[in-house]
Amino acid sequence: MTILNVGSLAYKRRIFTLYKQTLKNLRDQIANRNEFCLEHPRIRAEFDMYMRVKDPEEATFLLERAELHAVTFKAPVPYFFPEEEGGVAFMRYGNPPTPEQVKGLSVLTERPQDYYAA
C-alpha cells in the first residue's frame, strides 16, 4: 500500500477516474435515464462526504477500498448506445461517406456564381 499525498495530481486523477468509472458502472446497471438521475446524487454525496479527508493514510485506505468496491460490483454486461461499436444499430446504414464522396455532392462548389446571383 503506497501512501499518496492527498493534494497530489496523481491522487486527484485516481479519484476522478474512480468517479467516472462508478458513474459508467451505474449507467451499465440502470438503463432507464430517470432512475440514473435519481441514483447519481447519492454517489456524488458519497464522494463529497470523504472529500475533505486530510490524513494521507486514511485517504489512501478509502481510495483503495472504493476501487476494490468498483471492481467487485462491476456490471456483468456493459450498456452500449445503439450507434456505438457493439450496439444494435452500429453500421446499420453502411459505411459513412468518405471526404471525396462528400466533396462531389456539394452544390455550392459546382456553381457558386449562380447560387449567389440575385
Side-chain angles (χ1 to χ4, degrees):
M1 175 167 110
T2 304
I3 298 175
L4 296 170
N5 184 5
V6 177
S8 71
L9 186 60
Y11 178 77
K12 290 177 183 179
R13 282 190 179 167
R14 279 180 66 183
I15 293 290
F16 184 67
T17 303
L18 177 65
Y19 182 69
K20 285 190 338 184
Q21 181 182 5
T22 305
L23 289 182
K24 185 176 182 319
N25 188 27
L26 181 66
R27 185 195 72 185
D28 290 344
Q29 291 178 356
I30 301 174
N32 187 356
R33 177 107 176 124
N34 293 334
E35 292 178 23
F36 175 82
C37 289
L38 290 174
E39 284 293 316
H40 174 262
R42 185 186 62 80
I43 290 175
R44 180 62 193 222
E46 193 171 343
F47 271 84
D48 287 344
M49 184 170 55
Y50 295 113
M51 185 171 60
R52 305 245 189 278
V53 173
K54 297 294 182 192
D55 182 28
E57 291 179 8
E58 184 182 358
T60 304
F61 172 74
L62 290 170
L63 178 62
E64 289 178 354
R65 188 180 74 181
E67 287 173 342
L68 179 66
H69 183 270
V71 170
T72 305
F73 293 103
K74 188 173 180 178
V77 179
Y79 177 77
F80 293 108
F81 288 103
E83 290 80 19
E84 274 186 354
E85 186 173 350
V88 296
F90 180 68
M91 300 295 286
R92 178 175 287 174
Y93 303 108
N95 294 330
T98 62
E100 292 80 22
Q101 293 170 337
V102 172
K103 194 184 303 181
L105 297 174
S106 177
V107 175
L108 295 177
T109 58
E110 292 174 4
R111 299 178 295 150
Q113 293 83 13
D114 295 341
Y115 183 79
Y116 291 110

